[in-house]
Structures are given as structure tokens and as C-alpha cells.
Amino acid sequence: SPELWPRRVHLEVVGFPPHESGRRTHKIARDDTFEFTVHASTHDFIAPRQVEFRFLSVDGGRGRDTLTRVGEAVPGRDDFQEFRYEFNDVTASMTLDVIGGDDRVVDLHLEIVDRPELVGMEVECVYPEYLGREPRRLPVTGGMRIPEGTKLTLRAASTKPLTDIRVQTASDPQFRLLGNADEPVKSVRWDYGTLQADDLLTIQVTDVDGVTCREPYRISLAVIPDELPQVSVRLAGIGTAITPDAIVPLVGKVSDDYGLDRIWCDYRVNDGQVRTRPFVQQPAGQQEQTALDAFDTRGPDVPTG
């Protein structure tokens, strides 16, 4: 060989891309598991029987161990022989050196970072106009009850800049990508649309270190349906047969879960035209009214067709 000291082994460590400065770093979340992988080339090289690593952690710990050989590579068929080692619940950053045969890869940095978290999560609610409610921002809880027809916007802040935000709904299982890797953001704003049925939101975020939240955020949305107004009214003190100029006393209650806007009677004499008679006392948005009219057949009304 023209080389003074030709090497028989060539090792390549997976997942430690070089930085512009030349420093080779891999970032993982605190208390996460990391699978350390090394490839020994079989092209013009031989695979060593054993590969080991040495480490020095930032808290002063040091040690060495042997990677596990995975299968048996065949030169000409396989590009490399693989070796693996699993670090469990890593809590401190460390520097690693890998040695196998006459090759070594040194000064690898395993860096511990915190996971991204969403904080101050709120759902902005714009209620249907007929409810007469001002828009509100509600803190996110595990289960939220929202009136039917409300327009929702999800808002949250992040503890770290985010490059990837994915939202999934029960009605649309495809993830919707909101982030942009070229423009990291520290806040989330997503227009859900109008809530028409119960739904479940699932949110996953990834930060600039490539670390994803440990568990997806889940928000359960339960629809509060707009029930029909309830009318419980009967005749008082008279039968069902009346004279043409009768006064028909009505007693009872009219109610609605969101409030009453208007109360009226539709009536028809024999086969005549259907007519509408508005009540003298109209509600002012209250949920219940018990003050009902005595229906005077001689009173004014409004024809409906």
C-alpha cells in the first residue's frame, strides 16, 4: 500500500453529523433511551470481532463497555457489520470514543436537552351570534364542553423554538403540519373551525434540537347541543269548545337552555288561514317565562299565509 500505516478497519458512527465547527454531536431528551450504533465497513476493510466505547460524562463519571455485534455480515453481500449499545435513562451529557481493531472515532458528544413543552394552552371561542355571548378564551383542560356551532382557535406558547407542529382530529386522522423548519416559532395558533360534533385533538411538537414531546397533548371537545325550546302550556278553566268571541286563558311555562327571544301562537279557525299572534309580554333573553297571555280571539294578529 502507498500509505505508511494502512488501516484494516473502518468505523462509522451513526447519528453524529459534524457541525460547521467540526464538532460531532447527537442530542437526546433528558431521561431518554439512546441506541448507540456503529458500522464497520466490509468494502476493502475487515470487520473487527469486537468494538468498544469509552465515555466521560459532565458529572465526572467515566467508564467503558463493549457494543453488541448484530448478526454476521458477509463481505460482498453486506456493506457493513453492525454493532449496537443501548443507553437507558440518560441524565447527563457525555463524550464518547469508539475503538475497534486498528480504527477509532473520538470526541463524539452526546448532549442532553430538555423536551419542548406547550404552556398557557387556551381555546378561543367565538360563539354563535344568536347566543349573544362575547368571545372568550378558555384554559385548556382534559375535557371541555363547548356550545354547538362555536368557532374555535387553539393558542399556546412553547418553552423552546419549534420546527414542527402536528395536529390531528378524530374526524380527520391525517396529521396537519403547521410548523416550518426554516422559521422556528415559540407559539402555536391553529384555527379549528366550527365545532359541530364531539372531537379529540392530538398535538405533537418538535423543537430545534430535533426532540419531540414525550406524549402528545390531547384535548377532548364535547359539544353542548342547542336543544329545542320547551313549551309546557295548557288551557286554564275552559274546555276545548269555545264561542267566537272567547278569551282563552293559557298557563304554563316556556323555556330554552340558552334563552328565549320571541314567543307567539299560531292558530287557525276551522279551515281558514293560519295566523300568528305574538304574546304581549315578550322575553328579554331569559331562559324561562311563565307570564303567558289570555288568548283573545278578537285581538290583532299577523297572517302567515
Side-chain angles (χ1 to χ4, degrees), residues 266-276 301-305:
D266 282 347
Y267 76 99
R268 181 173 62 186
V269 177
N270 296 326
D271 295 328
Q273 191 177 33
V274 175
R275 308 182 73 85
T276 294
D301 50 33
V302 181
T304 61

Side-chain angles (χ1 to χ4, degrees), residues 4 6 22 26 37 82 89 104 114 117 120 143 148 192 207 209 214 218 230 232 279 283-285 305:
L4 294 179
H26 183 87
T37 304
E82 186 170 275
D89 304 324
R104 64 179 56 203
D114 293 324
E117 295 182 12
E148 181 180 6
Y192 171 88
D207 64 23
D209 293 323
R214 185 177 296 277
R218 290 181 171 84
Q230 300 298 307
S232 178
F279 277 37

Side-chain angles (χ1 to χ4, degrees), residues 11 24 27 37 53-54 60 63 82 91-92 96 112 138 144 152 178 193 200 206 217 224 238 261 267 277-278 297:
L11 303 178
R24 299 183 62 177
K27 297 180 180 180
T37 304
F53 70 90
R54 301 168 186 172
E82 186 170 275
T91 59
L96 297 163
I112 305 303
L138 304 177
M144 305 187 69
L152 304 179
L178 307 180
L200 176 65
T206 302
Y217 293 89
I224 303 175
I238 65 171
D261 176 63
Y267 76 99
R277 176 75 57 83
T297 59

Side-chain angles (χ1 to χ4, degrees), residues 132-182:
R133 294 186 183 182
E134 293 295 324
R136 293 182 59 190
R137 288 191 180 185
L138 304 177
V140 168
T141 58
M144 305 187 69
R145 291 174 55 80
I146 308 291
E148 181 180 6
T150 301
K151 293 182 179 179
L152 304 179
T153 301
L154 176 67
R155 298 177 181 271
S158 173
T159 56
K160 298 177 68 178
L162 304 176
T163 59
D164 187 270
I165 306 166
R166 296 171 184 261
V167 180
Q168 185 185 43
T169 65
S171 56
D172 182 7
Q174 296 296 322
F175 272 110
R176 305 180 188 184
L177 182 64
L178 307 180
N180 185 341
D182 296 329

Side-chain angles (χ1 to χ4, degrees), residues 25-176:
T25 302
H26 183 87
K27 297 180 180 180
I28 66 170
R30 190 179 309 278
D31 298 322
D32 211 350
T33 296
F34 171 63
E35 187 173 73
F36 191 38
T37 304
V38 177
H39 292 168
S41 177
T42 58
H43 287 295
D44 299 326
F45 296 96
I46 63 172
R49 296 308 307 170
Q50 179 176 294
V51 174
E52 69 171 21
F53 70 90
R54 301 168 186 172
F55 71 89
L56 174 63
S57 63
V58 294
D59 57 11
R62 64 174 64 234
R64 63 198 301 171
D65 207 339
T66 302
L67 285 80
T68 301
R69 187 183 183 98
V70 180
E72 193 67 36
V74 177
R77 184 194 68 183
D78 302 309
D79 294 333
F80 53 80
Q81 173 63 57
E82 186 170 275
F83 296 85
R84 293 181 190 168
Y85 186 90
E86 189 171 275
F87 291 89
N88 294 310
D89 304 324
V90 185
T91 59
S93 299
M94 64 180 72
T95 302
L96 297 163
D97 294 340
V98 179
I99 303 97
D102 60 0
D103 195 18
R104 64 179 56 203
V105 183
V106 300
D107 203 29
L108 301 171
H109 298 272
L110 185 63
E111 185 176 335
I112 305 303
V113 297
D114 293 324
R115 290 185 182 275
E117 295 182 12
L118 295 181
V119 295
M121 295 182 67
E122 296 179 325
V123 173
E124 182 180 282
C125 301
V126 179
Y127 299 104
E129 185 176 350
Y130 72 89
L131 294 185
R133 294 186 183 182
E134 293 295 324
R136 293 182 59 190
R137 288 191 180 185
L138 304 177
V140 168
T141 58
M144 305 187 69
R145 291 174 55 80
I146 308 291
E148 181 180 6
T150 301
K151 293 182 179 179
L152 304 179
T153 301
L154 176 67
R155 298 177 181 271
S158 173
T159 56
K160 298 177 68 178
L162 304 176
T163 59
D164 187 270
I165 306 166
R166 296 171 184 261
V167 180
Q168 185 185 43
T169 65
S171 56
D172 182 7
Q174 296 296 322
F175 272 110
R176 305 180 188 184

